[in-house]
Amino acid sequence: GDSVTQMEGPVTLSEEAFLTINCTYTATGYPSLFWYVQYPGEGLQLLLKATKADDKGSNKGFEATYRKETTSFHLEKGSVQVSDSAVYFCALSDSGGGADGLTFGKGTHLIIQP
Amino acid sequence: EAGVAQSPRYKIIEKRQSVAFWCNPISGHATLYWYQQILGQGPKLLIQFQNNGVVDDSQLPKDRFSAERLKGVDSTLKIQPAKLEDSAVYLCASSSRGAYNEQFFGPGTRLTVL
């Protein structure tokens, strides 16, 4: 079945550092890939997405490129801020017959120190 | 635009009791999902509805879990009888179409089974 593996946390960085959170996936079809974020005390919200190979999703300074050859969708940001502290989830949707529920990784807790 | 509403926000029950959760999706969203998120893990899809029909319930433990979406709007998820391992956050999400579309998540119901 489908699965998503992402780096375990917590990941602790200083403000303005470069961020990479690794994500790899296994899927039978041609999935869409997503990064969701959960800020403290809030619900899950979509950060960015990519629907086909070589697509780059971007939002709020974060980027991720859909790499089919390495089955990866790593999240990057050039300069993190304290406000980026949150839990980040990589996910895929391998829609077949309209069933497009998300398969999530375990989440990576990111802590940004001032 | 109002978001996905869920109630109750918290519930504590004894094992073998029954419990029900309610979800009201974003107006006009035809697709509704229920996810289970155990502490330290990513959400796991339990069931997906398209209008009032079930699209995917392959991961729903049907011996104790049931869900319905009457009239294609609100949905309820029931557990009967509950087990200790059902302690989790139950998330409801909705989207306006099928594949590639953003899923909007509610705040979740935190269930504790004692």
Side-chain angles (χ1 to χ4, degrees):
Chain A
D2 297 342
S3 67
V4 174
T5 303
Q6 58 182 109
M7 60 192 295
E8 304 244 342
V11 173
T12 303
L13 296 173
S14 297
E15 206 166 19
E16 300 183 2
F18 184 86
L19 168 71
T20 299
I21 301 178
N22 291 335
C23 171
T24 58
Y25 68 90
T26 302
T28 53
Y30 300 93
S32 294
L33 301 175
F34 306 83
W35 277 100
Y36 276 79
V37 60
Q38 189 167 34
Y39 296 104
E42 299 184 17
L44 274 168
Q45 54 188 279
L46 179 67
L47 180 59
L48 53 85
K49 68 180 181 184
T51 59
K52 62 182 187 296
D54 300 325
D55 269 3
K56 178 185 285 188
S58 61
N59 186 26
K60 299 182 181 180
F62 290 89
E63 293 183 341
T65 301
Y66 189 148
R67 301 287 189 198
K68 187 179 177 183
E69 63 276 13
T70 55
T71 62
S72 64
F73 193 54
H74 304 321
L75 183 68
E76 296 182 335
K77 186 175 184 182
S79 177
V80 293
Q81 305 300 313
V82 172
S83 57
D84 294 326
S85 298
V87 181
Y88 293 80
F89 292 92
C90 184
L92 69 82
S93 174
D94 195 4
S95 62
D100 60 356
L102 295 165
T103 298
F104 285 89
K106 290 186 175 182
T108 302
H109 186 193
L110 175 65
I111 301 169
I112 308 300
Q113 296 178 332
Chain B
E1 175 180 83
V4 176
Q6 291 187 245
S7 68
R9 293 295 309 278
Y10 305 91
K11 189 74 177 179
I12 300 174
I13 61 173
E14 300 280 335
K15 61 183 179 183
R16 291 188 288 273
Q17 287 186 322
S18 62
V19 64
F21 312 125
W22 173 83
C23 173
N24 181 243
I26 292 173
S27 177
H29 280 192
T31 312
L32 185 147
Y33 312 79
W34 283 102
Y35 291 85
Q36 179 193 57
Q37 185 176 16
I38 293 173
L39 185 64
Q41 299 184 20
K44 183 184 84 171
L45 178 71
L46 294 176
I47 189 167
Q48 176 187 347
F49 291 95
Q50 182 72 22
N51 296 308
N52 60 349
V54 175
V55 175
D56 182 4
D57 63 357
S58 58
Q59 299 188 89
L60 186 73
K62 299 181 186 64
D63 57 334
R64 298 184 300 105
F65 286 65
S66 65
E68 61 182 8
R69 191 184 184 198
L70 300 177
K71 302 181 181 179
V73 182
D74 293 6
S75 177
T76 56
L77 176 70
K78 297 179 181 178
I79 307 174
Q80 181 180 11
K83 293 185 176 181
L84 296 177
E85 58 261 36
D86 298 331
S87 294
V89 176
Y90 290 85
L91 298 167
C92 179
S94 69
S95 70
S96 58
R97 294 199 305 273
Y100 315 136
N101 276 276
E102 179 178 355
Q103 294 184 24
F104 293 84
F105 283 81
T109 296
R110 182 177 298 277
L111 173 67
T112 302
V113 182
L114 302 176

